[in-house]
Amino acid sequence: MPPTLQTVVRRMGLRPLAGGLPPDTVVRWVAVSELADPTPYLEGDELLLTTGLRMEGDLAEYVGRLVARGVAGLGFGVGVSHAEVPPALVEAAGRAGLPLLEVPRETPFIAVGKAVSELLAAEQYEEITRAFAAQGRLTRAALRPEGMHAVIDRLAKEIGGWAALLDETGVVLHATRGARTDGVTAELGRLLTGHGRPSPAGPGEERPGGGGKGRWPASLALSGPGEHIVVQPLGGGGARPRGFFAVGAREAFSPVTHTVINAAGSLLTLAMEQGRTQAAAERRVRSAALDLLLSGAGQQARDVLAALGGRLPEPPLAVLAARADALDVLETRVFAAPEPHAGPEAGGVVFALVPEALVEEVAGEADTVVGVSLPATYDPASLATAIDQARRALDAAPPQEAAGGRVVRFGELAGQGLLGLLDQPTAQAFAAALLAPLTAYGSRADLVESLRAYLESNGHWDAAAQRLGVHRHTLRYRMRRVGDLLGRDLDDPGVRAELWLALEAARRYPVTSCAADSS
């Protein structure tokens, strides 16, 4: 804060004559002018010094112009052109409320200017010192176990208000006492859904939510009566910040406070990036531990996890398989890791080892399709089988259910027969290839439906013919035609099994690709 007029008066020994010395009047600079109207060359909050060399006419107008311009005060140097301050000036200043000061002959105007300059420099130095001290306290807070939460708590104290940490969707993760975050979350909600347009904090900033190039501004101001709020994105800005933090106070933020807020933003971003790096490293360790389990090195796997403060669940357990986006949720509850040595072709599958009693609870929290194996142990063969079962159960879920929270158990697939163990593309390709000669046959007779009726009637001609509504001799002819087209013996149980599987696959996945693929 610049020095007050009272401070300047005391330091330079000036004598107040009129207008008083309001305690909140600040002096931002000292100007010297003998012009009849110096206001075009003033900005406001100056201490104007004059000897009254050209002061004549209606002094009330002169004083009125100074008051309108917002000068901090008028210093009149005596002993040059006037032996004393003109009484008319004293009277006009008193009526207008303009602080009028007598500057003794022995006090050079330049000395007043130097004094104000030194006070301004001292104030700036003090502000910088306060900012450095605050940054140090924030840095020490960032080193505490609470991490980002400790920085938020310290920031609120430094600004004399409140602070809050929000995730990338605008949900409050941590807030200090008295935080007023309703307006912040509402505004972020509008911006994140593209229904709002933030005002850039500076020239050249780009707007999110469809405005500009989709980059977030350095900060957002949500100030209102008696409340000044600043919101900053975390994670380097960009099209989608990784989080936000907000601060609020009753008074407008000073340059020093903005410096402290920016320092807190840097520390929070750094902590966030370090957390992401640490999380990625821990996931690689868990993936390596899973690889050790599969290779039979169970004790080594436990030792590796113990170094991270983790442990394996006690058997009996089940393996859960889910897509990669479920890892964030699963790893907070159980041992979960990306597939060991998985390349891009693996499709981003993660596996979790879960006690049997917690399978439904943990799978439900994943909020996505989860494949669940049969009960398993840490025997390498048992664990490898369970991982394969969980993956097959995950792959068996219909694509339209991928966004839901369905739990697909391998045991249920086994109860549905062999077809339940095949993924959809494989089953479709098998059916299309095997049935292609029949779907391409040009006769009016529907050989595919005739074959289905024959197989579902266990080869009984009369039952199958009755189901189709044809004579049994007609059905016999069709079956001979089917055998000729397929080049297979329909009396062979193995052939019948393959044909039934193909027909079931075509019925379960009713796409026209069977005919299209055969063309």
Side-chain angles (χ1 to χ4, degrees):
M1 179 179 177
T4 64
L5 183 59
Q6 289 181 348
T7 301
V8 177
V9 169
R10 286 195 302 267
R11 180 160 180 166
M12 298 307 301
L14 308 181
R15 186 164 71 95
L17 298 178
L21 294 176
D24 57 347
T25 299
V26 298
V27 178
R28 299 187 184 276
W29 201 242
V30 173
V32 179
S33 177
E34 302 295 347
L35 296 175
D37 182 12
T39 55
Y41 307 98
L42 303 177
E43 294 181 344
D45 291 336
E46 296 93 352
L47 173 58
L48 179 63
L49 302 180
T50 182
T51 64
L53 186 63
R54 298 182 180 178
M55 191 173 291
E56 56 187 20
D58 187 358
L59 296 185
E61 293 184 3
Y62 175 80
V63 170
R65 289 193 292 267
L66 297 184
V67 172
R69 192 57 173 170
V71 298
L74 175 63
F76 194 96
V78 297
V80 180
S81 61
H82 293 76
E84 61 179 13
V85 179
L89 182 60
V90 176
E91 181 181 357
R95 288 198 303 267
L98 174 67
L100 177 62
L101 313 169
E102 180 183 284
V103 183
R105 177 69 178 83
E106 61 273 13
T107 302
F109 283 0
I110 193 171
V112 179
K114 285 183 176 180
V116 171
S117 180
E118 290 172 359
L119 290 170
L120 289 171
E123 178 64 27
Q124 291 176 352
Y125 178 77
E126 184 179 352
E127 289 180 348
I128 293 174
T129 302
R130 290 201 304 268
F132 274 123
Q135 290 175 13
R137 290 188 290 269
L138 287 170
T139 301
R140 289 191 293 273
L143 297 176
R144 294 174 57 185
E146 301 92 329
M148 299 177 72
H149 291 188
V151 173
I152 290 294
D153 293 340
R154 183 71 247 178
L155 177 59
K157 295 179 180 179
E158 295 295 340
I159 66 171
W162 59 264
L165 179 68
L166 303 93
D167 68 9
E168 68 276 7
T169 66
V171 174
V172 177
L173 301 176
H174 179 69
T176 59
R177 184 187 301 273
R180 301 174 61 180
T181 58
D182 291 346
V184 175
T185 55
E187 181 66 16
L188 289 178
R190 286 192 292 270
L191 297 178
L192 291 169
T193 56
H195 296 159
R197 297 292 187 271
S199 299
E205 295 287 359
E206 299 167 359
R207 299 178 176 180
K213 298 179 181 179
R215 294 186 61 84
W216 284 80
S219 64
L220 298 175
L222 305 177
S223 302
E227 184 77 28
H228 297 268
I229 301 175
V230 170
V231 183
Q232 288 193 10
L234 297 174
R240 189 79 172 195
R242 296 170 185 166
F244 303 89
F245 78 101
V247 293
R250 292 184 179 276
E251 303 295 332
F253 297 121
S254 67
V256 172
T257 307
H258 277 293
T259 300
V260 173
I261 293 172
N262 291 335
S266 298
L267 288 170
L268 291 170
T269 297
L270 179 61
M272 179 178 291
E273 293 302 321
Q274 288 178 334
R276 291 170 62 89
T277 302
Q278 180 178 354
E282 291 180 353
R283 288 172 178 178
R284 289 193 293 270
V285 171
R286 291 198 299 271
S287 181
L290 182 57
D291 195 29
L292 289 172
L293 290 172
L294 290 171
S295 64
Q299 188 56 50
Q300 290 91 325
R302 290 177 173 83
D303 292 341
V304 168
L305 291 175
L308 297 178
R311 61 187 181 87
L312 295 171
E314 294 297 326
L317 54 90
V319 175
L320 272 61
R323 300 304 173 192
D325 54 4
L327 181 57
D328 289 339
V329 175
L330 291 175
E331 65 187 358
T332 63
R333 291 292 314 275
V334 293
F335 172 88
E339 183 178 10
H341 312 300
E345 69 281 358
V349 177
V350 298
F351 298 103
L353 308 184
V354 183
E356 263 289 292
L358 298 179
V359 167
E360 293 293 337
E361 178 182 344
V362 174
E365 292 182 1
D367 195 27
T368 186
V369 175
V370 176
V372 182
S373 73
L374 297 174
T377 66
Y378 286 113
D379 176 79
S382 175
L383 186 59
T385 299
I387 288 177
D388 181 67
Q389 291 173 351
R391 183 200 295 278
R392 289 180 178 275
L394 176 64
D395 292 340
Q400 61 270 22
E401 295 183 358
R406 180 184 174 188
V407 177
V408 182
R409 290 182 174 271
F410 180 81
E412 297 172 355
L413 296 181
Q416 297 173 12
L418 180 61
L419 187 59
L421 304 180
L422 299 179
D423 59 87
Q424 180 175 338
T426 300
Q428 287 177 333
F430 171 74
L434 187 56
L435 300 178
L438 304 184
T439 56
Y441 183 65
S443 171
R444 294 177 59 187
D446 191 339
L447 298 185
V448 173
E449 288 305 314
S450 297
L451 176 61
R452 181 186 299 278
Y454 174 71
L455 294 178
E456 289 181 349
S457 299
N458 295 318
H460 295 297
W461 297 108
D462 291 337
Q466 185 176 2
R467 175 179 297 187
L468 292 171
V470 298
H471 194 275
R472 65 177 180 275
H473 295 308
T474 301
L475 180 60
R476 287 180 181 273
Y477 168 77
R478 291 181 181 178
M479 289 303 97
R480 284 196 298 271
R481 190 59 179 157
V482 167
D484 292 341
L485 291 172
L486 297 178
R488 296 180 178 234
D489 182 4
L490 298 186
D491 292 329
D492 187 330
V495 171
R496 289 190 182 186
E498 285 189 352
L499 291 174
W500 177 86
L501 185 63
L503 291 171
E504 280 297 292
R507 181 181 61 82
R508 181 172 297 187
Y509 308 116
V511 294
T512 58
S513 57
C514 289
D517 292 344
S518 64
S519 60

